[in-house]
Amino acid sequence: MKPVRKAVFPVAGFGTRFLPATKSVPKELLPVVDRPLIQYAVDEALAAGIEQMIFVTGRSKHAIEDYFDRAFEVESDLLSKEKFDLLEALSGTRLAPGQAAFVRQQEMAGLGHAVWCARHLVGDEPFAVLLADELLWNPASPCLRQMRETYDAKGGNVIAVLEVPEAHTQRYGIVDPGRVEGAVTEVKAVVEKPRAGTAPSRLAAVGRYILQPEVMRILDAGERGAGGEIQLTDAMAKLIGRQPFHAQTFAGVRYDCGDKLGFLQANIALALERPDMGPHLREWLGTI
Ligand code: G1P
């Protein structure tokens, strides 16, 4: 079984739900406490042993490329002032030479299309996909690492899922579940944003995937699905039956940072966990 060495980060989206903040700042660079969303996703990938990060960017997203580069002026300034703690804060932004690759998605034609834009860089090996606006929080056992353990045991394709309220199923890719073994559920089918009342379960895909490269061959066809977009879910659905396909129920907390309320909740929850600010924040929250 080939190891998962590469991860694709689709980061071309306009982030319209956060306008005007995202007019000139990519939504993936919005901070949760003091780290941008994309940093959490990259850290999660690194913790799962991913070696190569492939960012699918778009126009006006070049700040993401800069973020993962050296910041010569500020770094030399901090070094000369011996501000080593601040230099340390930049450590996660320093990917090794050649470890980050950037490819552009020229049109917003859907998640499947974004992933397909990375096909030449992915090549003929399994790969992960991480959606940075889904902050999946479990520092002791990050989501992609949980999925990787399942992949190492079962091979094929693994997607992360969580139970969502029935009324929310129409916002997600929803799994039709088969046999359940602890946190791992066999996937019989997946359907993108099912109409109200038609969802096969409440198990929703939450933005983490380990996929076999054959999914790219399916995406080659450019078939449009829900919302007139080229859907990753539809391409995945065609792999089921041909290859093992499992859903991993994520053990941890999910913050939907594509949504303003979820983003604020992530900021508050993660700040409360921080020893340097948690106690002060808790005290202040008690006064308002
Ligand atoms: C995408 C996927 C969907 C998944 C969701 C998770 O939808 O198409 O299957 O459940 O991400 O956040 P989007 O939120 O981009 O519409």
Side-chain angles (χ1 to χ4, degrees):
M1 189 193 308
K2 287 188 184 171
V4 188
R5 302 185 309 121
K6 300 181 180 181
V8 175
F9 301 85
V11 292
F14 294 134
T16 45
R17 282 195 275 175
F18 279 88
L19 283 171
T22 47
K23 186 181 173 194
S24 59
V25 176
K27 74 170 170 180
E28 297 79 11
L29 291 184
L30 297 179
V32 170
V33 188
D34 50 11
R35 281 195 291 160
L37 280 168
I38 192 68
Q39 182 75 63
Y40 290 90
V42 165
D43 287 348
E44 187 184 326
L46 288 169
I50 298 293
E51 294 163 19
Q52 190 175 1
M53 315 294 162
I54 303 165
F55 299 91
V56 181
T57 73
R59 278 172 59 75
S60 81
K61 293 287 186 135
H62 50 263
I64 296 175
E65 206 164 330
D66 292 341
Y67 177 82
F68 288 107
D69 200 347
R70 279 275 171 86
F72 178 75
E73 297 87 343
V74 67
E75 289 183 32
S76 58
D77 185 63
L78 292 174
L79 194 62
S80 69
K81 292 177 180 152
E82 299 188 3
K83 294 189 172 169
F84 299 117
D85 52 335
L86 291 177
L87 275 170
E88 176 55 27
L90 290 175
S91 63
T93 69
R94 290 191 200 103
L95 296 175
Q99 199 178 14
F102 300 85
V103 64
R104 283 210 177 185
Q105 183 186 18
Q106 290 92 343
E107 49 169 331
M108 297 300 107
L111 179 59
H113 181 260
V115 169
W116 179 75
C117 287
R119 67 198 178 284
H120 298 303
L121 294 169
V122 165
D124 189 27
E125 52 182 289
F127 62 102
V129 178
L130 295 95
L131 307 187
D133 56 9
E134 293 279 4
L135 204 171
L136 300 185
W137 189 235
N138 182 342
S141 174
C143 183
L144 194 64
R145 197 196 287 164
Q146 294 177 22
M147 295 165 67
R148 194 177 179 146
E149 281 161 16
T150 298
Y151 173 78
D152 290 343
K154 305 211 174 267
N157 305 270
V158 182
I159 63 173
V161 293
L162 274 180
E163 269 198 9
V164 297
E166 176 75 46
H168 293 177
T169 51
Q170 44 192 319
R171 301 181 193 169
Y172 301 97
I174 301 288
V175 161
D176 183 2
R179 215 158 65 86
V180 181
E181 256 180 83
V184 181
T185 303
E186 189 197 336
V187 177
K188 293 202 296 187
V190 274
V191 42
E192 181 67 13
K193 303 193 173 77
R195 271 180 300 108
T198 67
S201 76
R202 294 196 288 119
L203 285 182
V206 284
R208 299 291 184 278
Y209 311 81
I210 291 177
L211 299 172
Q212 294 299 318
E214 286 76 18
V215 77
M216 296 295 196
R217 301 293 71 76
I218 296 169
L219 288 166
D220 283 341
E223 250 174 64
R224 307 241 166 196
E229 297 191 335
I230 301 168
Q231 296 289 355
L232 182 62
T233 303
D234 295 343
M236 292 189 314
K238 294 195 171 130
L239 288 178
I240 299 168
R242 290 204 237 160
Q243 300 178 342
F245 213 115
H246 293 92
Q248 169 89 37
T249 301
F250 169 56
V253 187
R254 166 194 179 233
Y255 299 100
D256 175 6
C257 291
D259 173 75
K260 279 177 248 194
L261 189 59
F263 178 73
L264 288 173
Q265 286 166 336
N267 267 287
I268 293 168
L270 269 61
L272 284 171
E273 285 182 22
R274 289 265 296 250
D276 56 339
M277 64 184 79
H280 300 293
L281 179 61
R282 192 175 300 278
E283 195 185 312
W284 178 75
L285 286 171
T287 68
I288 58 172

